[in-house]
Amino acid sequence: MFDHRKLGRELGLFDTDSLIGPGLPFWLPDGAAVRQSLEDFVRALERRAGYRHVYSPVLGKRELYELSGHWAHYRDDMFPPLSMGDSDDDQLVLRPSLCPHHAVMFRSRAHSYRELPLRMAELGGMYRSERSGVLGGLTRVRAIQLNDAHIFCTLDQVAGEARGALELIAVAYRAMGIVPSRYRLSLPGPGGKYVARPELWERATALLVEVLDGLGVPYEEGVGEAAFYGPKIDVQVVDGAGRESTLSTVQVDFHQPEQFDLHYVGPDGARHRPVMVHRAIVGSVERAVAQLIEQHGGAFPAWLAPVQLAVLPLGEEQDGAARELAARCLELDLRAEVLGADRGSLGARVREARLAPYQVVLGPREVADGTLGVRLRDGRRLDPLPAGEVLARIERQVRAHTVELW
Ligand SMILES: [Zn+2]
Protein backbone atom coordinates (compact mmCIF):
# COMPACT_ATOMS: atom_id res chain seq x y z
CA MET A 1 0.00 0.00 0.00
CA PHE A 2 0.96 3.63 -0.37
CA ASP A 3 1.18 6.84 1.66
CA HIS A 4 -1.61 9.11 0.46
CA ARG A 5 0.15 12.29 1.67
CA LYS A 6 3.20 11.67 -0.51
CA LEU A 7 1.26 10.32 -3.49
CA GLY A 8 -1.44 12.99 -3.25
CA ARG A 9 1.18 15.67 -3.74
CA GLU A 10 3.12 13.80 -6.44
CA LEU A 11 -0.02 13.13 -8.48
CA GLY A 12 -1.30 16.66 -8.01
CA LEU A 13 -4.49 15.59 -6.22
CA PHE A 14 -4.39 17.86 -3.16
CA ASP A 15 -1.99 19.95 -1.14
CA THR A 16 -1.80 22.32 1.80
CA ASP A 17 -0.25 25.73 2.25
CA SER A 18 0.92 27.29 5.49
CA LEU A 19 -0.89 30.48 4.56
CA ILE A 20 -4.26 28.72 4.39
CA GLY A 21 -3.27 26.72 7.44
CA PRO A 22 -2.43 23.18 8.49
CA GLY A 23 -5.22 20.63 8.37
CA LEU A 24 -7.02 22.60 5.66
CA PRO A 25 -6.13 20.80 2.42
CA PHE A 26 -7.20 22.16 -0.94
CA TRP A 27 -8.18 19.93 -3.86
CA LEU A 28 -6.39 20.41 -7.18
CA PRO A 29 -8.31 19.66 -10.42
CA ASP A 30 -7.32 15.97 -10.60
CA GLY A 31 -8.17 15.39 -6.93
CA ALA A 32 -11.39 17.36 -7.32
CA ALA A 33 -12.38 15.08 -10.24
CA VAL A 34 -11.98 12.03 -7.99
CA ARG A 35 -13.89 13.67 -5.16
CA GLN A 36 -16.68 14.93 -7.39
CA SER A 37 -17.16 11.48 -8.95
CA LEU A 38 -17.35 9.97 -5.46
CA GLU A 39 -19.85 12.58 -4.27
CA ASP A 40 -22.04 12.15 -7.36
CA PHE A 41 -21.98 8.37 -6.92
CA VAL A 42 -22.94 8.53 -3.24
CA ARG A 43 -25.76 11.02 -3.82
CA ALA A 44 -27.23 8.87 -6.61
CA LEU A 45 -26.94 5.76 -4.42
CA GLU A 46 -28.76 7.57 -1.62
CA ARG A 47 -31.51 8.89 -3.90
CA ARG A 48 -32.20 5.37 -5.14
CA ALA A 49 -32.38 4.17 -1.52
CA GLY A 50 -35.07 6.71 -0.68
CA TYR A 51 -32.97 9.46 0.91
CA ARG A 52 -33.84 13.13 0.38
CA HIS A 53 -30.93 15.59 0.38
CA VAL A 54 -30.86 18.81 2.35
CA TYR A 55 -28.43 21.68 2.98
CA SER A 56 -27.81 23.24 6.36
CA PRO A 57 -25.40 25.94 7.58
CA VAL A 58 -21.97 24.99 8.93
CA LEU A 59 -22.48 27.30 11.91
CA GLY A 60 -25.03 27.29 14.69
CA LYS A 61 -25.62 29.01 17.99
CA ARG A 62 -23.82 27.61 21.01
CA GLU A 63 -27.23 26.87 22.50
CA LEU A 64 -27.89 24.32 19.73
CA TYR A 65 -24.89 22.26 20.81
CA GLU A 66 -25.72 22.69 24.49
CA LEU A 67 -29.08 21.09 23.75
CA SER A 68 -27.60 18.26 21.64
CA GLY A 69 -25.01 17.49 24.33
CA HIS A 70 -22.00 18.27 22.14
CA TRP A 71 -21.09 21.29 24.24
CA ALA A 72 -20.87 19.20 27.41
CA HIS A 73 -19.36 16.04 25.90
CA TYR A 74 -17.40 17.11 22.85
CA ARG A 75 -16.23 20.67 23.54
CA ASP A 76 -12.51 19.81 23.56
CA ASP A 77 -12.78 18.92 19.88
CA MET A 78 -14.67 22.09 18.96
CA PHE A 79 -13.30 25.47 17.93
CA PRO A 80 -13.96 28.26 20.43
CA PRO A 81 -17.20 30.15 19.73
CA LEU A 82 -17.21 33.22 17.53
CA SER A 83 -18.51 36.09 19.56
CA MET A 84 -20.93 38.25 17.61
CA GLY A 85 -21.84 40.59 20.44
CA ASP A 86 -21.63 40.86 24.17
CA SER A 87 -24.14 38.23 25.24
CA ASP A 88 -23.91 34.43 25.18
CA ASP A 89 -26.93 34.39 22.85
CA ASP A 90 -24.73 35.77 20.13
CA GLN A 91 -22.11 33.04 20.25
CA LEU A 92 -21.79 31.00 17.08
CA VAL A 93 -19.80 27.82 16.76
CA LEU A 94 -18.46 25.93 13.76
CA ARG A 95 -20.42 22.73 13.95
CA PRO A 96 -18.71 19.54 15.14
CA SER A 97 -21.46 17.40 13.57
CA LEU A 98 -24.59 17.74 11.43
CA CYS A 99 -27.01 15.93 13.75
CA PRO A 100 -28.31 18.94 15.70
CA HIS A 101 -29.15 20.83 12.51
CA HIS A 102 -31.02 17.82 11.10
CA ALA A 103 -32.92 17.30 14.36
CA VAL A 104 -34.06 20.93 14.25
CA MET A 105 -34.99 20.58 10.57
CA PHE A 106 -37.13 17.52 11.37
CA ARG A 107 -38.80 19.49 14.15
CA SER A 108 -39.53 22.44 11.84
CA ARG A 109 -42.42 20.53 10.17
CA ALA A 110 -45.18 18.32 11.55
CA HIS A 111 -44.73 14.65 10.64
CA SER A 112 -47.12 11.73 10.35
CA TYR A 113 -46.11 8.10 10.90
CA ARG A 114 -46.79 7.66 7.16
CA GLU A 115 -43.64 9.68 6.37
CA LEU A 116 -41.41 7.37 8.38
CA PRO A 117 -38.74 6.25 7.89
CA LEU A 118 -37.74 9.78 6.89
CA ARG A 119 -34.21 9.67 5.48
CA MET A 120 -32.46 13.06 5.50
CA ALA A 121 -29.04 13.16 3.83
CA GLU A 122 -26.40 15.86 3.47
CA LEU A 123 -22.82 15.92 2.27
CA GLY A 124 -21.95 18.72 4.61
CA GLY A 125 -19.06 20.50 6.28
CA MET A 126 -18.08 20.10 9.91
CA TYR A 127 -15.04 21.16 11.90
CA ARG A 128 -12.70 19.66 14.43
CA SER A 129 -10.22 21.58 16.50
CA GLU A 130 -7.19 19.28 16.15
CA ARG A 131 -3.83 20.50 17.45
CA SER A 132 -1.53 21.54 14.62
CA GLY A 133 1.11 18.93 15.59
CA VAL A 134 -1.07 15.99 14.57
CA LEU A 135 -2.42 17.38 11.31
CA GLY A 136 -1.52 15.93 7.94
CA GLY A 137 -2.78 14.73 4.60
CA LEU A 138 -6.49 14.09 4.28
CA THR A 139 -6.92 11.99 7.42
CA ARG A 140 -6.12 14.51 10.17
CA VAL A 141 -7.88 17.66 9.12
CA ARG A 142 -9.76 20.55 10.71
CA ALA A 143 -12.44 20.86 8.04
CA ILE A 144 -14.34 17.69 7.14
CA GLN A 145 -16.95 17.03 4.46
CA LEU A 146 -19.14 14.27 5.86
CA ASN A 147 -21.37 11.93 3.85
CA ASP A 148 -23.97 12.08 6.59
CA ALA A 149 -27.61 11.12 6.96
CA HIS A 150 -30.14 10.84 9.74
CA ILE A 151 -33.06 8.47 9.54
CA PHE A 152 -36.02 9.40 11.72
CA CYS A 153 -38.04 6.24 12.28
CA THR A 154 -40.06 4.12 14.68
CA LEU A 155 -38.40 1.64 17.00
CA ASP A 156 -39.68 -1.21 14.78
CA GLN A 157 -37.96 0.31 11.75
CA VAL A 158 -34.50 0.76 13.31
CA ALA A 159 -33.10 -2.69 12.51
CA GLY A 160 -34.27 -2.55 8.88
CA GLU A 161 -32.79 0.93 8.40
CA ALA A 162 -29.47 -0.04 9.98
CA ARG A 163 -29.36 -3.14 7.76
CA GLY A 164 -30.15 -1.00 4.69
CA ALA A 165 -27.30 1.36 5.57
CA LEU A 166 -24.83 -1.53 5.91
CA GLU A 167 -25.96 -2.83 2.52
CA LEU A 168 -25.29 0.58 0.94
CA ILE A 169 -21.84 0.55 2.55
CA ALA A 170 -21.17 -2.86 0.96
CA VAL A 171 -22.28 -1.57 -2.49
CA ALA A 172 -20.06 1.52 -2.16
CA TYR A 173 -17.00 -0.47 -1.02
CA ARG A 174 -17.39 -2.88 -3.95
CA ALA A 175 -17.46 0.05 -6.39
CA MET A 176 -14.44 1.68 -4.71
CA GLY A 177 -12.47 -1.55 -4.46
CA ILE A 178 -12.14 -1.12 -0.69
CA VAL A 179 -12.22 -4.14 1.60
CA PRO A 180 -13.14 -3.49 5.24
CA SER A 181 -10.69 -4.91 7.79
CA ARG A 182 -13.47 -5.67 10.26
CA TYR A 183 -16.81 -4.59 11.73
CA ARG A 184 -16.77 -3.20 15.23
CA LEU A 185 -19.67 -2.91 17.65
CA SER A 186 -18.68 0.22 19.54
CA LEU A 187 -19.91 0.31 23.11
CA PRO A 188 -19.52 2.78 25.97
CA GLY A 189 -16.64 2.47 28.40
CA PRO A 190 -16.28 3.55 31.99
CA GLY A 191 -16.46 7.25 32.82
CA GLY A 192 -19.00 10.01 32.58
CA LYS A 193 -18.65 11.02 28.96
CA TYR A 194 -21.85 9.21 27.92
CA VAL A 195 -25.37 10.50 28.36
CA ALA A 196 -27.48 8.69 30.92
CA ARG A 197 -30.44 6.23 30.60
CA PRO A 198 -28.73 2.80 30.65
CA GLU A 199 -31.94 1.05 29.53
CA LEU A 200 -31.87 2.98 26.25
CA TRP A 201 -28.23 2.01 25.66
CA GLU A 202 -29.14 -1.62 26.20
CA ARG A 203 -32.03 -1.43 23.78
CA ALA A 204 -29.96 0.32 21.10
CA THR A 205 -27.12 -2.19 21.51
CA ALA A 206 -29.52 -5.13 21.23
CA LEU A 207 -30.84 -3.73 17.93
CA LEU A 208 -27.34 -3.38 16.46
CA VAL A 209 -26.41 -6.89 17.58
CA GLU A 210 -29.57 -8.18 15.88
CA VAL A 211 -28.52 -6.46 12.63
CA LEU A 212 -24.95 -7.79 12.72
CA ASP A 213 -26.09 -11.31 13.55
CA GLY A 214 -28.75 -11.15 10.83
CA LEU A 215 -26.16 -10.17 8.21
CA GLY A 216 -23.84 -12.89 9.45
CA VAL A 217 -20.78 -10.62 9.42
CA PRO A 218 -18.16 -11.31 12.07
CA TYR A 219 -17.54 -8.38 14.42
CA GLU A 220 -15.68 -7.46 17.56
CA GLU A 221 -16.76 -5.30 20.43
CA GLY A 222 -14.95 -2.01 20.99
CA VAL A 223 -15.46 -0.87 24.57
CA GLY A 224 -15.11 2.89 24.97
CA GLU A 225 -15.60 3.54 21.23
CA ALA A 226 -19.30 4.54 21.27
CA ALA A 227 -20.58 8.03 20.47
CA PHE A 228 -21.54 9.93 23.62
CA TYR A 229 -25.23 9.54 22.70
CA GLY A 230 -25.36 5.92 21.59
CA PRO A 231 -23.67 2.70 20.45
CA LYS A 232 -22.61 2.22 16.83
CA ILE A 233 -21.43 -0.21 14.20
CA ASP A 234 -18.10 0.96 12.79
CA VAL A 235 -16.71 -0.33 9.52
CA GLN A 236 -12.94 -0.35 9.91
CA VAL A 237 -10.29 -0.07 7.20
CA VAL A 238 -6.49 -0.36 7.34
CA ASP A 239 -4.31 2.31 5.72
CA GLY A 240 -0.94 2.01 3.99
CA ALA A 241 0.95 2.15 7.30
CA GLY A 242 -1.19 -0.64 8.78
CA ARG A 243 -3.16 1.74 10.99
CA GLU A 244 -6.82 0.98 11.47
CA SER A 245 -9.48 3.68 11.36
CA THR A 246 -13.23 4.01 11.04
CA LEU A 247 -14.50 4.87 7.57
CA SER A 248 -18.24 4.19 7.78
CA THR A 249 -20.61 4.07 10.69
CA VAL A 250 -24.21 3.30 11.68
CA GLN A 251 -25.48 4.59 15.03
CA VAL A 252 -28.67 4.30 17.01
CA ASP A 253 -29.66 7.33 19.06
CA PHE A 254 -32.53 7.69 21.54
CA HIS A 255 -30.94 10.72 23.18
CA GLN A 256 -31.15 13.55 20.64
CA PRO A 257 -34.83 12.93 19.77
CA GLU A 258 -35.52 13.52 23.49
CA GLN A 259 -33.26 16.54 23.75
CA PHE A 260 -34.94 18.18 20.77
CA ASP A 261 -38.40 16.93 21.77
CA LEU A 262 -38.95 15.37 18.35
CA HIS A 263 -42.25 13.74 17.62
CA TYR A 264 -44.52 12.38 14.92
CA VAL A 265 -48.23 11.75 14.94
CA GLY A 266 -48.99 8.03 15.12
CA PRO A 267 -51.97 6.09 13.72
CA ASP A 268 -53.64 6.65 17.11
CA GLY A 269 -53.50 10.43 16.59
CA ALA A 270 -51.12 10.82 19.55
CA ARG A 271 -47.56 12.16 19.62
CA HIS A 272 -44.75 9.60 19.53
CA ARG A 273 -40.98 9.94 19.81
CA PRO A 274 -38.95 8.84 16.74
CA VAL A 275 -35.54 7.17 16.95
CA MET A 276 -32.58 8.69 15.06
CA VAL A 277 -30.29 6.42 13.07
CA HIS A 278 -27.08 8.25 12.15
CA ARG A 279 -25.09 6.79 9.28
CA ALA A 280 -22.21 7.58 6.94
CA ILE A 281 -21.71 5.41 3.85
CA VAL A 282 -18.23 6.50 2.73
CA GLY A 283 -17.51 8.47 5.92
CA SER A 284 -15.85 11.77 5.15
CA VAL A 285 -14.79 12.43 1.56
CA GLU A 286 -11.31 13.28 2.89
CA ARG A 287 -10.80 9.92 4.57
CA ALA A 288 -12.48 8.02 1.74
CA VAL A 289 -10.19 9.55 -0.89
CA ALA A 290 -7.13 9.00 1.33
CA GLN A 291 -8.08 5.34 1.58
CA LEU A 292 -8.65 5.12 -2.19
CA ILE A 293 -5.20 6.63 -2.85
CA GLU A 294 -3.47 4.26 -0.42
CA GLN A 295 -5.33 1.21 -1.65
CA HIS A 296 -4.91 1.82 -5.39
CA GLY A 297 -1.69 3.82 -5.44
CA GLY A 298 -3.34 6.35 -7.74
CA ALA A 299 -4.63 3.66 -10.16
CA PHE A 300 -8.25 4.42 -9.33
CA PRO A 301 -11.22 2.44 -10.66
CA ALA A 302 -12.16 3.94 -14.05
CA TRP A 303 -15.20 5.84 -12.73
CA LEU A 304 -12.97 7.68 -10.23
CA ALA A 305 -9.86 8.18 -12.37
CA PRO A 306 -8.91 11.84 -13.00
CA VAL A 307 -7.92 10.80 -16.54
CA GLN A 308 -10.01 7.93 -17.85
CA LEU A 309 -8.67 7.82 -21.39
CA ALA A 310 -5.11 8.85 -22.27
CA VAL A 311 -4.75 9.70 -25.96
CA LEU A 312 -1.23 9.49 -27.37
CA PRO A 313 -0.82 10.71 -30.96
CA LEU A 314 2.18 9.03 -32.57
CA GLY A 315 3.37 12.26 -34.14
CA GLU A 316 2.26 15.83 -34.77
CA GLU A 317 0.20 14.70 -37.81
CA GLN A 318 -2.20 12.86 -35.47
CA ASP A 319 -2.65 15.81 -33.11
CA GLY A 320 -5.90 16.96 -34.69
CA ALA A 321 -7.45 13.48 -34.57
CA ALA A 322 -6.36 13.14 -30.93
CA ARG A 323 -8.06 16.41 -30.01
CA GLU A 324 -11.20 15.33 -31.83
CA LEU A 325 -11.28 12.10 -29.87
CA ALA A 326 -10.85 14.01 -26.59
CA ALA A 327 -13.73 16.30 -27.59
CA ARG A 328 -15.96 13.27 -28.22
CA CYS A 329 -15.09 12.02 -24.72
CA LEU A 330 -16.05 15.37 -23.23
CA GLU A 331 -19.45 15.09 -24.93
CA LEU A 332 -19.91 11.70 -23.26
CA ASP A 333 -18.85 13.15 -19.88
CA LEU A 334 -15.64 11.08 -19.96
CA ARG A 335 -12.31 12.55 -18.87
CA ALA A 336 -9.66 12.31 -21.60
CA GLU A 337 -6.21 13.82 -21.81
CA VAL A 338 -4.09 14.24 -24.95
CA LEU A 339 -0.39 13.65 -24.39
CA GLY A 340 1.01 15.14 -27.61
CA ALA A 341 4.38 14.51 -29.22
CA ASP A 342 5.63 17.79 -27.71
CA ARG A 343 5.56 16.03 -24.31
CA GLY A 344 8.42 13.69 -25.24
CA SER A 345 9.04 10.28 -26.76
CA LEU A 346 6.21 7.77 -27.06
CA GLY A 347 7.85 5.62 -24.37
CA ALA A 348 8.00 8.56 -21.96
CA ARG A 349 4.36 9.42 -22.64
CA VAL A 350 3.25 5.80 -22.14
CA ARG A 351 4.96 5.91 -18.73
CA GLU A 352 3.29 9.22 -17.94
CA ALA A 353 -0.12 7.77 -18.83
CA ARG A 354 0.38 4.55 -16.85
CA LEU A 355 -2.34 5.36 -14.25
CA ALA A 356 -5.06 6.03 -16.85
CA PRO A 357 -7.29 2.94 -17.04
CA TYR A 358 -7.56 3.25 -20.84
CA GLN A 359 -4.75 4.31 -23.16
CA VAL A 360 -4.74 4.60 -26.95
CA VAL A 361 -1.92 5.37 -29.37
CA LEU A 362 -3.13 7.11 -32.53
CA GLY A 363 -1.03 6.36 -35.59
CA PRO A 364 -1.77 6.99 -39.29
CA ARG A 365 -3.57 3.64 -39.63
CA GLU A 366 -5.93 4.23 -36.70
CA VAL A 367 -6.74 7.72 -37.97
CA ALA A 368 -7.42 6.39 -41.51
CA ASP A 369 -9.56 3.44 -40.26
CA GLY A 370 -11.35 5.25 -37.44
CA THR A 371 -10.28 2.47 -35.07
CA LEU A 372 -8.61 2.41 -31.68
CA GLY A 373 -6.20 -0.16 -30.28
CA VAL A 374 -6.85 0.05 -26.55
CA ARG A 375 -4.21 -0.72 -23.99
CA LEU A 376 -5.65 -1.36 -20.54
CA ARG A 377 -3.84 -0.21 -17.43
CA ASP A 378 -3.31 -3.82 -16.33
CA GLY A 379 -1.21 -4.46 -19.44
CA ARG A 380 -3.84 -6.12 -21.66
CA ARG A 381 -3.85 -5.02 -25.31
CA LEU A 382 -7.09 -5.27 -27.24
CA ASP A 383 -7.52 -5.78 -30.97
CA PRO A 384 -8.42 -2.59 -32.86
CA LEU A 385 -12.11 -1.70 -32.62
CA PRO A 386 -14.19 1.11 -34.16
CA ALA A 387 -13.70 4.24 -32.02
CA GLY A 388 -17.43 4.56 -31.32
CA GLU A 389 -17.54 1.04 -29.92
CA VAL A 390 -14.56 1.69 -27.66
CA LEU A 391 -16.04 4.89 -26.25
CA ALA A 392 -19.43 3.23 -25.68
CA ARG A 393 -17.73 0.39 -23.83
CA ILE A 394 -15.70 2.76 -21.63
CA GLU A 395 -18.80 4.81 -20.94
CA ARG A 396 -20.67 1.67 -19.88
CA GLN A 397 -17.90 0.61 -17.48
CA VAL A 398 -17.75 4.09 -15.95
CA ARG A 399 -21.54 4.33 -15.50
CA ALA A 400 -21.59 0.86 -13.92
CA HIS A 401 -19.17 2.04 -11.19
CA THR A 402 -17.23 -1.17 -11.44
CA VAL A 403 -13.60 -1.97 -10.67
CA GLU A 404 -13.51 -4.16 -13.80
CA LEU A 405 -11.76 -2.34 -16.63
CA TRP A 406 -13.36 -4.16 -19.58
ZN1 LIG B 1 -25.42 12.38 13.36
Side-chain angles (χ1 to χ4, degrees), residues 70 97-100 102 146 148-150 229 251 253 256 276-279:
H70 286 88
S97 81
L98 282 66
C99 338
H102 288 189
L146 189 69
D148 207 3
H150 296 94
Y229 47 78
Q251 314 173 359
D253 177 11
Q256 294 193 49
M276 264 172 95
V277 175
H278 309 237
R279 50 102 289 200

mmCIF file of all heavy atoms in Angstrom, residues 70 97-100 102 146 148-150 229 251 253 256 276-279, ligand 1:
data_model
loop_
_atom_site.group_PDB
_atom_site.id
_atom_site.type_symbol
_atom_site.label_atom_id
_atom_site.label_comp_id
_atom_site.label_asym_id
_atom_site.label_seq_id
_atom_site.Cartn_x
_atom_site.Cartn_y
_atom_site.Cartn_z
ATOM 1 N N HIS A 70 -23.370 18.125 22.632
ATOM 2 C CA HIS A 70 -21.996 18.265 22.138
ATOM 3 C C HIS A 70 -21.177 19.215 22.996
ATOM 4 O O HIS A 70 -19.998 18.994 23.234
ATOM 5 C CB HIS A 70 -21.995 18.757 20.687
ATOM 6 C CG HIS A 70 -22.388 17.699 19.702
ATOM 7 N ND1 HIS A 70 -23.696 17.467 19.358
ATOM 8 C CD2 HIS A 70 -21.650 16.791 19.017
ATOM 9 C CE1 HIS A 70 -23.743 16.476 18.482
ATOM 10 N NE2 HIS A 70 -22.522 16.047 18.265
ATOM 11 N N SER A 97 -20.713 18.487 14.198
ATOM 12 C CA SER A 97 -21.463 17.396 13.567
ATOM 13 C C SER A 97 -22.728 17.993 12.963
ATOM 14 O O SER A 97 -23.082 19.137 13.244
ATOM 15 C CB SER A 97 -21.822 16.312 14.584
ATOM 16 O OG SER A 97 -22.965 16.690 15.318
ATOM 17 N N LEU A 98 -23.400 17.223 12.122
ATOM 18 C CA LEU A 98 -24.585 17.738 11.434
ATOM 19 C C LEU A 98 -25.886 17.394 12.160
ATOM 20 O O LEU A 98 -26.943 17.954 11.877
ATOM 21 C CB LEU A 98 -24.664 17.167 10.006
ATOM 22 C CG LEU A 98 -23.763 17.791 8.938
ATOM 23 C CD1 LEU A 98 -22.298 17.557 9.213
ATOM 24 C CD2 LEU A 98 -24.111 17.263 7.552
ATOM 25 N N CYS A 99 -25.795 16.447 13.107
ATOM 26 C CA CYS A 99 -27.014 15.926 13.753
ATOM 27 C C CYS A 99 -27.927 17.005 14.329
ATOM 28 O O CYS A 99 -29.137 16.959 14.086
ATOM 29 C CB CYS A 99 -26.670 14.931 14.852
ATOM 30 S SG CYS A 99 -25.074 14.148 14.747
ATOM 31 N N PRO A 100 -27.394 17.960 15.102
ATOM 32 C CA PRO A 100 -28.306 18.939 15.701
ATOM 33 C C PRO A 100 -29.092 19.736 14.658
ATOM 34 O O PRO A 100 -30.283 19.979 14.843
ATOM 35 C CB PRO A 100 -27.371 19.848 16.505
ATOM 36 C CG PRO A 100 -26.153 19.029 16.758
ATOM 37 C CD PRO A 100 -26.000 18.174 15.546
ATOM 38 N N HIS A 102 -30.000 18.695 11.702
ATOM 39 C CA HIS A 102 -31.019 17.824 11.103
ATOM 40 C C HIS A 102 -32.169 17.572 12.074
ATOM 41 O O HIS A 102 -33.322 17.478 11.651
ATOM 42 C CB HIS A 102 -30.379 16.512 10.640
ATOM 43 C CG HIS A 102 -29.524 16.685 9.416
ATOM 44 N ND1 HIS A 102 -28.989 15.636 8.712
ATOM 45 C CD2 HIS A 102 -29.109 17.810 8.768
ATOM 46 C CE1 HIS A 102 -28.290 16.103 7.677
ATOM 47 N NE2 HIS A 102 -28.339 17.420 7.703
ATOM 48 N N LEU A 146 -18.608 15.568 5.444
ATOM 49 C CA LEU A 146 -19.141 14.272 5.862
ATOM 50 C C LEU A 146 -20.311 13.826 4.996
ATOM 51 O O LEU A 146 -21.223 14.594 4.721
ATOM 52 C CB LEU A 146 -19.580 14.327 7.329
ATOM 53 C CG LEU A 146 -19.953 12.981 7.957
ATOM 54 C CD1 LEU A 146 -18.719 12.093 8.111
ATOM 55 C CD2 LEU A 146 -20.629 13.166 9.307
ATOM 56 N N ASP A 148 -23.149 12.366 5.417
ATOM 57 C CA ASP A 148 -23.965 12.085 6.594
ATOM 58 C C ASP A 148 -25.427 11.864 6.219
ATOM 59 O O ASP A 148 -25.880 12.296 5.157
ATOM 60 C CB ASP A 148 -23.874 13.287 7.548
ATOM 61 C CG ASP A 148 -24.106 12.887 8.995
ATOM 62 O OD1 ASP A 148 -24.278 11.691 9.259
ATOM 63 O OD2 ASP A 148 -24.114 13.791 9.852
ATOM 64 N N ALA A 149 -26.149 11.195 7.087
ATOM 65 C CA ALA A 149 -27.608 11.119 6.964
ATOM 66 C C ALA A 149 -28.191 10.757 8.314
ATOM 67 O O ALA A 149 -27.523 10.130 9.146
ATOM 68 C CB ALA A 149 -28.033 10.091 5.927
ATOM 69 N N HIS A 150 -29.412 11.198 8.533
ATOM 70 C CA HIS A 150 -30.141 10.840 9.743
ATOM 71 C C HIS A 150 -31.491 10.286 9.333
ATOM 72 O O HIS A 150 -32.201 10.905 8.554
ATOM 73 C CB HIS A 150 -30.271 12.060 10.652
ATOM 74 C CG HIS A 150 -28.941 12.524 11.136
ATOM 75 N ND1 HIS A 150 -28.221 13.502 10.493
ATOM 76 C CD2 HIS A 150 -28.167 12.078 12.158
ATOM 77 C CE1 HIS A 150 -27.059 13.655 11.117
ATOM 78 N NE2 HIS A 150 -26.994 12.802 12.130
ATOM 79 N N TYR A 229 -23.772 9.669 22.644
ATOM 80 C CA TYR A 229 -25.233 9.544 22.701
ATOM 81 C C TYR A 229 -25.738 8.148 22.357
ATOM 82 O O TYR A 229 -26.940 7.904 22.430
ATOM 83 C CB TYR A 229 -25.878 10.568 21.769
ATOM 84 C CG TYR A 229 -25.251 10.601 20.396
ATOM 85 C CD1 TYR A 229 -25.546 9.626 19.454
ATOM 86 C CD2 TYR A 229 -24.339 11.594 20.046
ATOM 87 C CE1 TYR A 229 -24.960 9.625 18.217
ATOM 88 C CE2 TYR A 229 -23.743 11.609 18.789
ATOM 89 C CZ TYR A 229 -24.058 10.623 17.889
ATOM 90 O OH TYR A 229 -23.454 10.640 16.657
ATOM 91 N N GLN A 251 -25.277 4.363 13.596
ATOM 92 C CA GLN A 251 -25.478 4.594 15.027
ATOM 93 C C GLN A 251 -26.960 4.676 15.367
ATOM 94 O O GLN A 251 -27.743 5.163 14.566
ATOM 95 C CB GLN A 251 -24.810 5.914 15.441
ATOM 96 C CG GLN A 251 -23.411 6.081 14.882
ATOM 97 C CD GLN A 251 -22.792 7.446 15.131
ATOM 98 O OE1 GLN A 251 -23.428 8.317 15.717
ATOM 99 N NE2 GLN A 251 -21.574 7.621 14.699
ATOM 100 N N ASP A 253 -29.643 6.216 18.103
ATOM 101 C CA ASP A 253 -29.655 7.327 19.057
ATOM 102 C C ASP A 253 -31.077 7.579 19.591
ATOM 103 O O ASP A 253 -31.973 7.965 18.837
ATOM 104 C CB ASP A 253 -29.108 8.566 18.317
ATOM 105 C CG ASP A 253 -29.133 9.827 19.163
ATOM 106 O OD1 ASP A 253 -29.373 9.735 20.381
ATOM 107 O OD2 ASP A 253 -28.903 10.902 18.578
ATOM 108 N N GLN A 256 -30.870 12.256 21.270
ATOM 109 C CA GLN A 256 -31.146 13.550 20.636
ATOM 110 C C GLN A 256 -32.632 13.760 20.330
ATOM 111 O O GLN A 256 -33.118 14.887 20.486
ATOM 112 C CB GLN A 256 -30.241 13.749 19.414
ATOM 113 C CG GLN A 256 -28.786 13.868 19.885
ATOM 114 C CD GLN A 256 -27.818 14.361 18.831
ATOM 115 O OE1 GLN A 256 -28.059 15.353 18.167
ATOM 116 N NE2 GLN A 256 -26.715 13.658 18.689
ATOM 117 N N MET A 276 -33.481 8.187 16.106
ATOM 118 C CA MET A 276 -32.583 8.689 15.060
ATOM 119 C C MET A 276 -31.517 7.639 14.769
ATOM 120 O O MET A 276 -30.821 7.203 15.683
ATOM 121 C CB MET A 276 -31.879 9.978 15.527
ATOM 122 C CG MET A 276 -32.540 11.272 15.086
ATOM 123 S SD MET A 276 -31.751 12.702 15.889
ATOM 124 C CE MET A 276 -30.560 13.187 14.636
ATOM 125 N N VAL A 277 -31.411 7.257 13.498
ATOM 126 C CA VAL A 277 -30.286 6.417 13.075
ATOM 127 C C VAL A 277 -29.327 7.343 12.327
ATOM 128 O O VAL A 277 -29.719 7.990 11.357
ATOM 129 C CB VAL A 277 -30.754 5.262 12.153
ATOM 130 C CG1 VAL A 277 -29.564 4.466 11.631
ATOM 131 C CG2 VAL A 277 -31.726 4.347 12.892
ATOM 132 N N HIS A 278 -28.104 7.455 12.836
ATOM 133 C CA HIS A 278 -27.080 8.251 12.150
ATOM 134 C C HIS A 278 -26.263 7.278 11.301
ATOM 135 O O HIS A 278 -25.927 6.205 11.780
ATOM 136 C CB HIS A 278 -26.089 8.882 13.127
ATOM 137 C CG HIS A 278 -26.688 9.648 14.265
ATOM 138 N ND1 HIS A 278 -26.378 10.968 14.499
ATOM 139 C CD2 HIS A 278 -27.536 9.276 15.254
ATOM 140 C CE1 HIS A 278 -27.019 11.372 15.592
ATOM 141 N NE2 HIS A 278 -27.723 10.373 16.069
ATOM 142 N N ARG A 279 -25.929 7.683 10.086
ATOM 143 C CA ARG A 279 -25.094 6.790 9.284
ATOM 144 C C ARG A 279 -24.258 7.560 8.265
ATOM 145 O O ARG A 279 -24.657 8.614 7.776
ATOM 146 C CB ARG A 279 -25.903 5.691 8.585
ATOM 147 C CG ARG A 279 -27.127 6.096 7.801
ATOM 148 C CD ARG A 279 -26.913 6.121 6.306
ATOM 149 N NE ARG A 279 -26.073 7.214 5.864
ATOM 150 C CZ ARG A 279 -26.044 7.666 4.621
ATOM 151 N NH1 ARG A 279 -26.786 7.125 3.697
ATOM 152 N NH2 ARG A 279 -25.256 8.657 4.256
HETATM 153 ZN ZN ZN B 1 -25.424 12.384 13.362
#
